[in-house]
């Protein structure tokens, strides 16, 4: 026994690649065992235990507990699949190791009787069993991936998603195994709603988050928008490494970002400005953080972004920073405005504004009477005016329009009241319900504000995102016409459309209704598809996810309306081709189409009268 165990120990130093699953491990073990019988002293077991988390230790050493490798293969035991630990235990307790290995292979190998007689031919050709089993495994994995994609398109919606959810539940414990991970990720990709517990596990693991599909990341971003392209990004990390602790290089990078922002109007340079500072803060580069006058403000705002809300305490801190800008230091407002122009900051400020308005409705308080709400508007105004401020070099906070506070915000509050009144009325017994239906029109002043006032437009768009996320179809259809023409076409910008299409997936069942699709596609999206390619892309992506919900006749007309022209870019053409392929897969094959027998009696044949 001791000599056999010594041979096993020496096998850990083999140069053979580590196995990736139980079958491979078993196969390699048996390769070595057979070699021992046939070829004398060549008895090194080829599986080793490196698959369980790193190099082998000496006889008296211990295996790393809780290591990445051990965690990676822990899921096999949950599924009743043997792994390297089981083989080690078997060999430790047996008296005849070679027989134990052979029995282990029989129990855990490919259970195909006809295969056993064919395997010796591989030995004659010098093909290791590990290589054979790995090729079988790879082929099976590809077939499984194809099957998962097919399940996502066939049968009734509820049934197909139930199958995928069951498959995810059974396979998720193996998500960290590199060989199985693609299957688990494929299942999650095709689920419109991945269980929240599993999303949190993916979000908490950097490698899993990086490996998951964009469709899964969208679900994470919806409730964790601070993760959307944040400072784990490669660009931020490279800039941080290049700057190090050099204040002069840091100032140089900031000047580049200001210049690029002015040239392109791309607000993501504002994101990069804030993220760069916070990356240096995380690394405790005090040489830079202490000399950047925006550091504490950005730090406080970053905490608000992560919590997706500006509470009263942090609101007072932020106001203190703004009020503390001294005369002669007004240039700081330029950098503060860039930081507030970051889309993540705008998102947090706008959603906090909506939440405050809802609270004011319950408190029977007007917007002008809320200091916290006025501060949010002040920061929104400063952020939205970033480009003009840096371009003009006039570092002064923009004035707030009085009508925004006295007319527009009360109008939004009236929409909240309409929703609340309608919902309460629907819960009343039928004999007590009022005859008034849900309001279907909007004040003309609301549309005018969205066209002429940037802050009003931003708040209005986020209110629409809010009601969409709440699955409030009535409110969404009521306000949708106001989105056709907005300030600087903000409603057709990538940031808003990305969030809107993500929220619209929550209203998936409504896409079966003609009225809903006509209002959404014909009344909004298609009005801009021909002149804005980004809108075309977003609509195609939305249909790729929800095409199975749309009525066939409407889907056919949308397919024609969205067909790319000669000027369309490659991304649009590629998305359209993907949609076309999915629609083709949904069509029944000619063999499956059976002619329905007629229930009518056949008419007697009547001879055709001869022509005169």
């Amino acid at each position: 026994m001791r000599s056999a165990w010594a041979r096993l120990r020496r096998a850990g130093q083999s140069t053979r690649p580590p196995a990736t699953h139980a079958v491979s491990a078993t196969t390699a073990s048996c390769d070595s065992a057979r070699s021992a019988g046939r070829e004398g002293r060549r008895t090194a077991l080829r599986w080793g235990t490196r698959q369980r988390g790193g190099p082998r230790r000496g006889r008296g050493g211990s295996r790393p507990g809780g290591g990445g490798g051990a965690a990676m293969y822990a899921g096999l035991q949950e599924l009743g699949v043997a792994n390297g630990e089981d083989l080690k235990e078997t060999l430790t307790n047996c008296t005849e190791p070679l027989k134990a290995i052979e029995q282990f292979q029989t129990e855990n190998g490919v259970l195909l009787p006809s295969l056993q007689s064919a395997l010796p031919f591989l030995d004659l050709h010098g093909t290791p069993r590990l290589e054979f089993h790995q090729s079988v495994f790879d082929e099976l994995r590809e077939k499984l991936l194809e099957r998962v994609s097919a399940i996502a398109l066939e049968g009734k919606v509820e049934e197909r998603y139930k199958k995928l959810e069951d498959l995810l539940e059974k396979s998720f414990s193996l998500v960290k195994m590199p060989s199985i991970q693609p299957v688990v990720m494929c299942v999650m990709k095709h689920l419109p709603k991945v269980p929240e517990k599993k999303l949190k596990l993916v979000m908490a693991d950097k490698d899993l988050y990086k490996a998951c599909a964009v469709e899964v990341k969208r679900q994470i971003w919806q409730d964790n928008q601070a993760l959307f392209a944040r400072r784990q990004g490669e660009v931020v990390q490279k800039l941080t490494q290049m700057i190090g602790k050099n204040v002069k290089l840091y100032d140089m990078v900031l000047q580049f970002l200001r210049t690029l922002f002015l040239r392109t109007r791309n607000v993501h340079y504002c994101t990069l400005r804030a993220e760069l500072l916070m990356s240096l803060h995380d690394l405790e580069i005090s040489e830079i953080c202490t000399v950047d006058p925006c550091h504490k403000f950005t730090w406080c705002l970053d905490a608000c972004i992560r919590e997706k809300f500006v509470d009263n305490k942090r609101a007072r801190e932020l106001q203190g920073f703004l009020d503390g800008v001294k005369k002669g230091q007004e240039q700081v407002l330029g950098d503060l405005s860039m930081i507030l122009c970051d889309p993540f900051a705008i998102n947090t400020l706008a959603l906090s504004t909506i939440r405050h308005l809802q609270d004011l409705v319950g408190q029977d308080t007007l917007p002008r009477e809320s200091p916290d709400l006025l501060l949010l508007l002040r920061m929104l105004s400063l952020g939205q005016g970033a480009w003009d401020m840096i371009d003009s070099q006039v570092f002064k906070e923009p004035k707030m329009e009085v009508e925004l506070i006295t007319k527009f915000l009360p109008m939004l509050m009236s929409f909240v009241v309409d929703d609340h009144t309608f919902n309460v009325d629907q819960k009343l017994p039928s004999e007590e319900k009022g005859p008034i239906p849900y309001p279907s029109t909007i004040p003309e002043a609301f549309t005018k504000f969205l066209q002429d006032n940037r802050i009003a437009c931003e708040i209005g768009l986020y209110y629409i995102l809010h009601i969409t996320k709440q699955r409030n179809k009535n409110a969404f259809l009521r306000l949708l016409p106001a989105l056709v023409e907005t300030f600087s076409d903000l409603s057709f910008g990538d940031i808003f459309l990305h969030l809107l299409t993500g929220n619209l997936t929550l209203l998936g069942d409504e896409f079966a209704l003609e009225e809903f699709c006509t209002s959404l596609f014909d009344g909004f999206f298609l009005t801009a598809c021909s002149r804005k390619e980004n809108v075309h892309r977003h609509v195609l992506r939305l249909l790729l996810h929800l095409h199975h919900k749309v009525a066939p006749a409407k889907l056919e007309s949308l397919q024609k309306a969205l067909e790319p022209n000669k000027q369309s870019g490659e991304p649009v053409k590629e998305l359209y081709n993907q949609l076309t392929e999915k629609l083709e897969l949904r069509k029944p094959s000619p063999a499956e189409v059976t002619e329905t027998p007629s229930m009518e009696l056949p008419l007697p044949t009547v001879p055709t009268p001869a022509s005169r």
Side-chain angles (χ1 to χ4, degrees):
M1 171 64 193
R2 183 167 297 180
S3 61
W5 184 245
R7 292 200 300 272
L8 288 171
R9 179 176 304 285
R10 288 195 297 273
Q13 301 170 357
S14 170
T15 58
R16 189 176 181 78
T20 56
H21 45 79
V23 172
S24 300
T26 309
T27 303
S29 302
C30 295
D31 273 348
S32 300
R34 291 173 186 273
S35 299
R38 294 193 193 96
E39 302 175 26
R41 291 297 87 197
R42 206 157 58 89
T43 59
L45 289 173
R46 300 179 188 177
W47 66 280
T49 53
R50 293 173 61 89
Q51 61 165 332
R52 292 284 301 171
R56 293 275 306 207
R57 296 177 179 266
R59 180 170 182 171
S62 60
R63 188 182 307 280
M72 183 187 300
Y73 293 96
L76 288 172
Q77 292 180 333
E78 295 180 20
L79 298 176
V81 178
N83 58 20
E85 280 296 313
D86 297 303
L87 181 56
K88 177 186 173 182
E89 184 179 353
T90 300
L91 292 172
T92 302
N93 298 323
C94 72
T95 55
E96 298 185 48
L98 297 181
K99 286 186 177 180
I101 291 173
E102 189 167 352
Q103 182 180 353
F104 189 88
Q105 179 194 23
T106 303
E107 293 175 352
N108 299 284
V110 179
L111 301 179
L112 189 64
S114 59
L115 179 65
Q116 300 304 316
S117 58
L119 285 176
F121 286 102
L122 296 175
D123 301 332
L124 295 175
H125 290 279
T127 302
R129 299 288 177 83
L130 172 61
E131 184 179 328
F132 165 72
H133 279 93
Q134 187 66 55
S135 65
V136 172
F137 180 84
D138 292 342
E139 185 69 23
L140 289 173
R141 181 179 57 203
E142 291 305 312
K143 294 292 184 185
L144 184 54
L145 287 170
E146 292 175 8
R147 181 62 187 141
V148 169
S149 299
I151 290 174
L153 297 173
E154 64 186 21
K156 295 182 179 179
V157 175
E158 296 79 7
E159 293 178 359
R160 76 173 74 138
Y161 291 149
K162 181 66 169 62
K163 289 180 182 178
L164 291 175
E165 287 169 358
D166 292 344
L167 184 56
L168 179 62
E169 190 64 34
K170 292 176 181 177
S171 63
F172 192 79
S173 59
L174 304 177
V175 70
K176 293 189 178 182
M177 286 183 62
S179 53
I180 300 290
Q181 189 180 85
V183 178
V184 184
M185 291 301 179
C186 182
V187 175
M188 288 197 290
K189 173 185 175 181
H190 288 97
L191 273 174
K193 183 66 177 175
V194 176
E196 185 177 357
K197 182 179 178 181
K198 290 177 173 55
L199 280 181
K200 288 182 177 178
L201 291 172
V202 171
M203 182 177 67
D205 191 299
K206 185 174 66 174
D207 294 330
L208 291 182
Y209 178 79
K210 184 178 180 181
C212 69
V214 174
E215 290 83 353
V216 180
K217 288 178 180 174
R218 283 198 194 103
Q219 297 183 43
I220 295 174
W221 295 335
Q222 284 177 10
D223 296 316
N224 301 274
Q225 291 168 356
L227 284 174
F228 184 48
R230 302 300 279 178
R231 53 180 165 271
Q232 303 97 318
E234 185 179 354
V235 174
V236 176
Q237 291 181 351
K238 283 186 176 180
L239 284 174
T240 304
Q241 293 171 358
M242 290 166 63
I243 292 169
K245 299 180 180 181
N246 193 310
V247 177
K248 189 174 181 180
L249 282 178
Y250 177 67
D251 287 338
M252 189 185 301
V253 171
L254 294 190
Q255 188 55 47
F256 279 136
L257 294 178
R258 295 186 197 105
T259 304
L260 290 168
F261 176 50
L262 280 178
R263 287 181 180 177
T264 64
R265 289 182 179 263
N266 189 331
V267 292
H268 294 299
Y269 287 115
C270 300
T271 304
L272 190 54
R273 196 268 183 252
E275 287 302 295
L276 180 59
L277 176 55
M278 283 295 93
S279 178
L280 294 167
H281 166 88
D282 291 344
L283 295 173
E284 299 181 352
I285 309 295
S286 57
E287 292 85 348
I288 292 176
C289 293
T290 54
V291 298
D292 190 330
C294 301
H295 172 235
K296 290 185 178 179
F297 180 89
T298 310
W299 184 12
C300 183
L301 182 63
D302 184 69
C304 297
I305 292 172
R306 291 183 176 279
E307 294 178 9
K308 295 176 280 187
F309 182 65
V310 181
D311 59 30
N312 295 338
K313 180 183 176 182
R314 290 206 172 99
R316 288 192 293 272
E317 291 180 26
L318 292 169
Q319 183 171 4
F321 295 134
L322 291 176
D323 294 341
V325 177
K326 299 176 182 179
K327 192 173 183 179
Q329 299 179 342
E330 291 87 353
Q331 282 190 333
V332 174
L333 287 174
D335 275 344
L336 290 177
S337 67
M338 272 192 75
I339 290 164
L340 288 168
C341 190
D342 169 17
F344 297 101
I346 296 292
N347 176 75
T348 302
L349 296 173
L351 291 179
S352 298
T353 300
I354 302 301
R355 187 165 164 181
H356 273 287
L357 288 174
Q358 291 176 313
D359 291 341
L360 293 179
V361 170
Q363 299 165 7
D364 199 17
T365 305
L366 292 173
R368 63 172 178 263
E369 297 171 355
S370 171
D372 289 343
L373 180 59
L374 295 178
L375 173 64
L376 291 171
L377 296 176
R378 178 185 176 186
M379 290 191 289
L380 275 171
S381 180
L382 186 57
Q384 297 292 8
W387 192 90
D388 293 326
M389 183 182 295
I390 297 173
D391 181 54
S392 65
Q393 293 291 292
V394 177
F395 299 104
K396 187 177 180 180
E397 288 191 46
K399 289 184 179 180
M400 190 78 62
E401 291 190 25
V402 177
E403 288 192 340
L404 175 70
I405 302 168
T406 60
K407 291 186 178 181
F408 178 73
L409 295 183
M411 199 184 307
L412 273 185
M413 292 171 68
S414 73
F415 295 158
V416 176
V417 173
D418 288 340
D419 283 339
H420 183 68
T421 304
F422 181 76
N423 291 334
V424 170
D425 185 68
Q426 293 300 302
K427 293 176 183 178
L428 294 173
S430 56
E431 62 273 8
E432 298 181 23
K433 285 185 180 180
I436 303 175
Y438 190 88
S440 58
T441 59
I442 51 176
E444 187 178 338
F446 179 77
T447 306
K448 188 71 172 170
F449 268 112
L450 262 58
Q451 293 171 358
D452 300 339
N453 188 300
R454 170 125 198 186
I455 307 302
C457 183
E458 200 75 62
I459 296 172
L461 293 182
Y462 272 93
Y463 178 71
I464 291 171
L465 290 174
H466 168 74
I467 60 177
T468 310
K469 192 171 184 178
Q470 298 298 316
R471 297 180 171 88
N472 191 336
K473 180 193 74 170
N474 292 323
F476 175 71
L477 291 179
R478 179 189 183 187
L479 301 180
L480 186 60
L483 299 184
V484 176
E485 189 177 347
T486 55
F487 186 93
S488 293
D489 269 347
L490 286 177
S491 60
F492 294 119
D494 281 325
I495 294 174
F496 175 73
L497 289 179
H498 172 78
L499 296 172
L500 178 65
T501 52
N503 289 354
L504 282 172
T505 59
L506 302 174
L507 287 169
D509 293 338
E510 305 297 338
F511 281 78
L513 304 177
E514 175 71 23
E515 177 191 2
F516 184 85
C517 285
T518 300
S519 299
L520 178 62
F521 292 106
D522 300 74
F524 176 57
F525 282 130
L526 295 182
T527 63
C529 272
S530 59
R531 58 188 175 89
K532 288 184 172 292
E533 186 162 299
N534 68 308
V535 179
H536 203 161
R537 290 198 308 271
H538 283 286
V539 178
L540 288 170
R541 288 195 187 104
L542 181 64
L543 285 175
L544 277 171
H545 289 281
L546 295 174
H547 63 87
H548 56 280
K549 300 277 189 178
V550 183
K554 186 63 181 177
L555 191 59
E556 185 178 353
S557 66
L558 286 173
Q559 188 180 8
K560 291 178 181 177
L562 293 170
E563 186 174 3
N565 54 36
K566 293 180 180 179
Q567 288 74 37
S568 299
E570 287 303 317
V572 167
K573 293 177 181 177
E574 177 62 27
L575 287 168
Y576 185 81
N577 290 337
Q578 290 178 25
L579 178 62
T580 303
E581 289 173 6
K582 283 200 170 187
L583 297 183
E584 288 296 325
L585 288 173
R586 290 187 65 196
K587 292 181 180 178
S589 63
E592 296 174 349
V593 179
T594 57
E595 186 176 346
T596 305
S598 174
M599 300 299 292
E600 299 178 359
L601 294 174
L603 293 173
T605 305
V606 179
T608 306
S611 57
R612 296 181 179 178

